[in-house]
Amino acid sequence: MEANMIKIWGRTDSSNVQKVLWCCGELGIEFERVDWGGKFGGNNDQAYREMNPNGLVPTIKDGDFVLWESNSIMRYLNAKYGNRKLLPSSPEGMASANRWMDWQLSTFNATIVPLFWNLVRTPPDKRDPKAVHAALEKTGKAWQLVEKQLAQHRFLAGEEFSLGDIPLGVWAYRWFSLPIERPEQANITRWYNQLKQRKPYQTYIMIPLS
Ligand SMILES: N[C@@H](CCC(=O)N[C@@H](CS)C(=O)NCC(=O)O)C(=O)O
């Protein structure tokens, strides 16, 4: 590892780690990553807890600066190494991108996570069909807000790709890869097809679900 290289703690199949990896890819940031969390453990190591008292991934270290919270990490990387190119410069555009990032963490995540866990991380005989059905319905409704926004704009915060697309873009791949019946949402499909053209999306997001 080069002395000044950013270090990322987190397994590659974590949605929140994937956001940071995708962001690094967009900004051309080199990093060293260590498998952490999930089956790799480490979350409760004392040294790790000192960096990230939540015991979750991702965590990054840049020089002496330690940061956790995936969306905050992306904002930091964009400000420090990206010349802020992944956020619109107008206050309105920036607020809109931030809003979609916050909405993913505060609202959307809770609808889709039960679906993903049931269908991907739970053995078939232990799955809860009622929970799957309820989550499918809630997630479809939540995507409807995104569908409406994307009917007006190419990307979530306007005509250009931004950080606003990353948190939901991570979940779009999972949504379209799950063995479920999805409501027809033509604008989300168009947006997802655009994301699939991006190299870092192909590298870090379009990987087998696990
Ligand atoms: N709000 C935090 C959530 C972090 C989080 O929940 N991370 C999950 C993985 S997506 C985690 O660490 N789970 C335990 C583990 O991987 O061992 C963020 O956005 O960074």
Side-chain angles (χ1 to χ4, degrees):
M1 174 189 172
E2 280 172 40
N4 293 326
M5 206 179 268
I6 290 175
K7 185 162 174 179
I8 302 172
W9 283 261
R11 55 192 166 86
T12 54
D13 62 353
S14 143
S15 58
N16 290 307
V17 173
Q18 286 180 342
K19 292 179 195 173
V20 174
L21 302 180
W22 180 2
C23 178
C24 284
E26 293 287 345
L27 295 174
I29 296 172
E30 285 188 50
F31 57 85
E32 187 214 356
R33 187 191 59 76
V34 278
D35 279 323
W36 212 264
K39 68 176 183 205
F40 302 101
N43 311 41
N44 288 319
D45 291 3
Q46 197 189 339
Y48 187 73
R49 284 268 173 174
E50 271 164 27
M51 289 195 301
N52 185 340
N54 303 290
L56 297 171
V57 290
T59 302
I60 69 156
K61 190 161 189 225
D62 184 15
D64 292 333
F65 182 58
V66 172
L67 189 63
W68 41 264
E69 278 303 319
S70 55
N71 289 356
S72 301
I73 293 171
M74 290 196 287
R75 292 180 181 112
Y76 166 76
L77 295 174
N78 182 50
K80 180 132 190 191
Y81 298 106
N83 206 14
R84 300 178 197 270
K85 74 170 187 174
L86 290 182
L87 279 175
S89 53
S90 74
E92 292 80 5
M94 196 184 301
S96 185
N98 280 318
R99 175 259 311 269
W100 290 110
M101 296 173 81
D102 292 345
W103 183 76
Q104 181 273 321
L105 271 181
S106 66
T107 307
F108 181 81
N109 211 44
T111 71
I112 201 164
V113 163
L115 193 61
F116 184 78
W117 268 85
N118 254 288
L119 296 179
V120 178
R121 294 189 178 156
T122 307
D125 58 317
K126 300 251 159 52
R127 289 179 191 159
D128 176 350
K130 263 194 179 159
V132 170
H133 183 76
L136 190 52
E137 204 163 293
K138 278 190 191 160
T139 307
K141 280 191 185 148
W143 276 125
Q144 201 49 33
L145 273 71
V146 179
E147 173 68 9
K148 267 183 114 176
Q149 177 76 357
L150 291 172
Q152 323 241 349
H153 301 284
R154 238 177 117 225
F155 290 100
L156 277 167
E159 303 321 303
E160 302 294 330
F161 174 81
S162 77
L163 289 187
D165 295 292
I166 293 185
L168 288 161
V170 166
W171 282 105
Y173 171 71
R174 295 171 173 215
W175 174 246
F176 281 102
S177 304
L178 286 172
I180 49 171
E181 265 192 47
R182 286 164 289 277
E184 178 66 26
Q185 290 170 321
N187 292 290
I188 292 179
T189 305
R190 175 205 30 90
W191 167 75
Y192 172 57
N193 285 334
Q194 287 169 200
L195 298 181
K196 284 198 291 182
Q197 310 298 317
R198 306 184 83 84
K199 191 84 186 53
Y201 195 75
Q202 295 164 4
T203 307
Y204 299 115
I205 311 305
M206 297 173 68
I207 62 173
L209 300 185
S210 64

